[in-house]
Amino acid sequence: MQDPVLEGTLRKIRAERSKTRNRRNAMTATATALALSAAVLYGHHRGQESAPTPVHLAATDNNVHLNAKITPAPGWIRIEVTVTGLPPAQPCLLLLTDRAGQTYQAGGWVATDSHTTLTGAASLTHTDLATITITTRSGHPLLTAHL
């Protein structure tokens, strides 16, 4: 024989447990969504904050003209140069010198009779960069730009 009072009480207890579980799940889902949104917004803000600001430099020496764009990165720099006025077929090197006098080769190419655009990199910071030099492979300087 079934007891209607007991059955009704058990039904109410089960319903309350279900409501409590649903509320807990909803609260957990809401908290997770808020935490994820905060993390995404923080990451986006940090990304905008740390975006590198390129430094531009132009120099002319011995009829050789250089336009450089130096993009800082954590512990290194990327450099893009456009060079005009070099003798055709001249093998060249792109050298970067830091404030302590250490030289880094950031690239090399053979000049054409128009212009050359070259992208290179070096493991020094943009604040340590002192000069950008274009030389022949034998080391003869064709242009030096000071920062």
Side-chain angles (χ1 to χ4, degrees):
M1 206 161 151
Q2 292 184 344
D3 183 359
V5 174
L6 179 60
E7 290 296 322
T9 303
L10 290 174
R11 199 172 23 255
K12 286 181 184 178
I13 290 172
R14 287 184 197 117
E16 281 298 316
R17 281 186 182 166
S18 179
K19 284 181 188 176
T20 301
R21 191 176 318 117
N22 288 343
R23 264 191 305 247
R24 191 174 343 133
N25 289 344
M27 287 174 49
T28 301
T30 301
T32 302
L34 287 172
L36 183 59
S37 296
V40 168
L41 288 173
Y42 177 74
H44 178 72
H45 175 72
R46 292 278 300 162
Q48 286 181 338
E49 225 176 53
S50 62
T53 303
V55 175
H56 295 274
L57 175 71
T60 301
D61 193 10
N62 299 323
N63 294 324
V64 177
H65 184 72
L66 167 96
N67 278 314
K69 177 178 145 185
I70 303 145
T71 305
W76 63 284
I77 59 172
R78 178 182 300 115
I79 184 166
E80 182 179 319
V81 296
T82 300
V83 184
T84 58
L86 294 170
Q90 174 67 58
C92 298
L93 297 175
L94 173 63
L95 303 177
L96 308 178
T97 304
D98 66 16
R99 300 199 185 286
Q102 184 172 350
T103 300
Y104 304 81
Q105 181 176 334
W109 74 100
V110 176
T112 64
D113 49 5
S114 58
H115 74 280
T116 301
T117 299
L118 175 76
T119 301
S123 58
L124 73 152
T125 63
H126 74 287
T127 56
D128 288 334
L129 181 61
T131 63
I132 300 170
T133 305
I134 306 296
T135 69
T136 62
R137 285 235 170 99
S138 61
H140 176 72
L142 301 171
L143 175 137
T144 299
H146 299 273
L147 275 82

